[in-house]
Amino acid sequence: MHTLPEPHQEEVKDASIELQVPFHRAAVGEAEVQAVSEVIRSGWLTMGPKTFEFEEQFAKYVGARDAIAVSTGTAALHLALEAAGVCAGDEVLLPTTTFTATAEAVTYLGARPVLVDVDPVTMNLAPEDAARRITPRTKAIIPVHLGGQACDMDEVQTLARAHHLRVIEDAAHALPSEYRGKRIGQISEFTCFSFYATKTLTTGEGGMVTTESPTAAARIRLMRLHGIERDAWKRYRGDGSWRYEVHEAGFKYNLTDLQAAIGLVQLAKCDAMWQARQRIAQRYSDALSSLEELLLPEIRSDRSTSWHLYVLRLRPNRLRVDRDVFIRALRARGVSCSVHFIPLHLQPYYQRAYGYKAGDFPNAEQQYCSCLSLPIFPGMTEQEIEHVIRAVKETTVESRIVRQNAAVFPIA
Ligand SMILES: Cc1ncc(COP(=O)(O)O)c(C=O)c1O
């Protein structure tokens, strides 16, 4: 497997730092253990009643017409694109600032990912840049709600209507998020969620497609399990039949009842987990707003974010160090951060396959060079939150360019 070198793997943690704040710790506990145990005791481990219950509850939670549970967020994107009729030779618009899965799913169908620059404030796909890249081959657009803040969905929908594009939202980060009073999951024809280990709702691995189209829902249900007719999963159960028909060459993308059992417990506490992340975000923003070397996340007033990520941006002309050094300094203080994301056009595969190069997407590159994601997860203790704030403040103060006659603020 090709992986980019982690720039600071060589960093040795300072043993004198007692508190180490991880980037993420999953909010799972005894209730999840109990739920999984019950499934094990039931004797039916793979897709079955728990999965269908999870789908039903999930659809209700986001206000979608239908929800189909699948094995990963990547599988969700693949199945949605397939159901939308994307095929070889088509072009699909998506932001360069995203995880590779968004574009990779497009390539599964032989279609071409067409990268789009991002808005400098939200770091989400810029609809006006997307408009410039539409050709007669453009079939679909994938807005990605980066970190949880919804994209400009009205503009995306207007563009899609004008050019007959299918809209597939990548909502891997956006549970629960809202745009103009509507929860993400009920706006477009397709919305794809991820339940990967670090996401706001986790089943370890997992995903969900929500759709407003009954035809698309039926197609996705068929294709997620080998293209076999709907009740194929029952064929080893007493209430099933051994006879089955294969209608398409589908995929093995189903979720299991073991995972769905975790998902149901997580869904029941989704609001509480969201409130916990909101509170942490507020603490960070209150504590760091006086540091003019930092740009804090700006959430537009007509939308809300899941706070999957708290993305901080450094103002390069105010600091003596770059983002990588800043992250290293935080790590030395016991705080693990991440970066979301290395723009796809800077990755070797997308350069080799599609000819992208550094300089192609100036906004995305500028944001990439200055951004870092702080730990934000529901189980963070007061001590951990305080520790992150102090570490960011100390690192900022020690790295700031002190201008003559400028007041130097003490660390609160
Ligand atoms: C923006 C985005 N899209 C898609 C995915 C893919 O989700 P999964 O890992 O569940 O396949 C991820 C996962 O990290 C993601 O961050």
Side-chain angles (χ1 to χ4, degrees):
M1 191 180 70
H2 175 80
T3 50
L4 287 169
E6 250 265 355
H8 307 306
Q9 260 168 355
E10 75 284 3
E11 184 67 21
V12 177
K13 289 208 179 91
D14 183 343
S16 68
I17 304 284
E18 279 163 31
L19 193 59
Q20 299 285 336
V21 185
F23 180 66
H24 183 76
R25 200 165 51 231
V28 286
E30 272 314 305
E32 283 85 351
V33 171
Q34 192 61 36
V36 171
S37 306
E38 278 168 24
V39 172
I40 293 171
R41 288 196 190 98
S42 79
W44 186 257
L45 307 189
T46 187
M47 185 168 78
K50 283 285 171 202
T51 306
F52 304 131
E53 189 185 339
F54 183 39
E55 291 178 338
E56 213 172 288
Q57 298 289 333
F58 192 90
K60 222 179 270 172
Y61 184 74
V62 299
R65 186 187 176 111
D66 217 331
I68 305 104
V70 294
S71 54
T72 63
T74 310
L77 286 163
H78 186 186
L79 289 167
L81 286 159
E82 200 272 343
V86 170
C87 49
D90 287 341
E91 294 177 359
V92 178
L93 300 162
L94 56 106
T96 186
T97 303
T98 186
F99 186 55
T100 187
T102 316
E104 180 189 301
V106 172
T107 70
Y108 293 169
L109 294 152
R112 180 188 180 96
V114 174
L115 304 181
V116 174
D117 208 352
V118 298
D119 177 285
V121 177
T122 63
M123 296 169 70
N124 278 335
L125 173 139
E128 61 284 1
D129 191 57
R132 280 194 284 275
R133 298 174 194 276
I134 291 175
T135 74
R137 289 171 176 259
T138 312
K139 183 72 170 268
I141 181 165
I142 312 182
V144 180
H145 309 303
L146 192 84
Q149 169 153 225
C151 294
D152 297 330
M153 288 310 299
D154 281 355
E155 287 81 348
V156 169
Q157 300 285 6
T158 303
L159 194 67
R161 268 194 302 275
H163 298 274
H164 309 290
L165 309 181
R166 311 300 285 270
V167 180
I168 296 129
E169 294 178 46
D170 182 337
H173 300 183
L175 183 76
S177 298
E178 283 189 5
Y179 175 78
R180 299 192 170 165
K182 282 188 169 177
R183 199 161 261 186
I184 295 300
Q186 58 175 269
I187 296 172
S188 300
E189 189 181 2
F190 302 97
T191 307
C192 300
F193 295 89
S194 163
F195 307 138
Y196 176 66
T198 59
K199 297 298 193 280
T200 53
L201 180 157
T202 187
T203 57
E205 298 281 358
M208 190 78 79
V209 187
T210 59
T211 177
E212 297 306 297
S213 153
T215 317
R219 177 73 187 178
I220 293 169
R221 286 212 160 84
L222 179 74
M223 296 303 279
R224 81 165 154 191
L225 197 64
H226 301 296
I228 301 177
E229 90 273 28
R230 191 178 169 161
D231 282 347
W233 65 274
K234 280 188 178 171
R235 70 189 191 278
Y236 296 112
R237 293 170 53 119
D239 54 347
S241 157
W242 58 266
R243 195 180 290 281
Y244 61 90
E245 278 179 21
V246 178
H247 290 263
E248 292 287 349
F251 309 100
K252 186 71 190 333
Y253 277 168
N254 61 285
L255 197 76
T256 69
D257 272 15
L258 289 166
Q259 294 164 309
I262 300 173
L264 280 162
V265 176
Q266 291 265 297
L267 195 59
K269 58 187 188 188
C270 204
D271 286 344
M273 294 194 291
W274 177 48
Q275 280 155 13
R277 287 190 306 275
Q278 257 184 311
R279 200 180 65 80
I280 299 164
Q282 193 63 52
R283 291 280 305 281
Y284 285 166
S285 293
D286 289 346
L288 304 176
S289 62
S290 60
L291 296 169
E292 51 184 41
E293 294 78 9
L294 307 178
L295 289 173
L296 307 183
E298 262 184 52
I299 308 304
R300 299 243 154 99
S301 60
D302 60 353
R303 57 203 83 176
S304 70
T305 172
S306 63
W307 288 114
H308 169 54
L309 301 176
Y310 187 96
V311 179
L312 203 61
R313 270 171 289 171
L314 310 180
R315 297 175 75 179
N317 54 351
R318 304 291 179 106
L319 292 165
R320 287 181 287 107
V321 300
D322 65 14
R323 187 270 319 277
D324 292 3
V325 175
F326 200 93
I327 288 182
R328 197 160 40 199
L330 287 176
R331 191 179 283 192
R333 290 186 161 92
V335 175
S336 292
C337 296
S338 191
V339 171
H340 297 86
F341 287 97
I342 304 169
L344 295 181
H345 72 279
L346 301 180
Q347 296 286 9
Y349 169 72
Y350 295 95
Q351 297 192 343
R352 191 176 73 242
Y354 304 106
Y356 289 115
K357 57 185 186 318
D360 282 348
F361 301 94
N363 287 346
E365 278 175 48
Q366 200 184 351
Q367 303 319 310
Y368 162 60
C369 292
S370 65
C371 77
L372 61 126
S373 307
L374 297 181
I376 181 165
F377 51 88
M380 276 183 95
T381 63
E382 276 306 305
Q383 208 191 3
E384 287 176 321
I385 298 167
E386 277 303 319
H387 189 78
V388 172
I389 291 170
R390 174 158 284 273
V392 173
K393 282 184 171 179
E394 286 175 359
T395 304
T396 305
V397 168
E398 81 182 6
S399 318
R400 66 170 36 139
I401 296 169
V402 182
R403 285 165 294 140
Q404 275 189 339
N405 305 325
V408 176
F409 297 102
I411 299 169

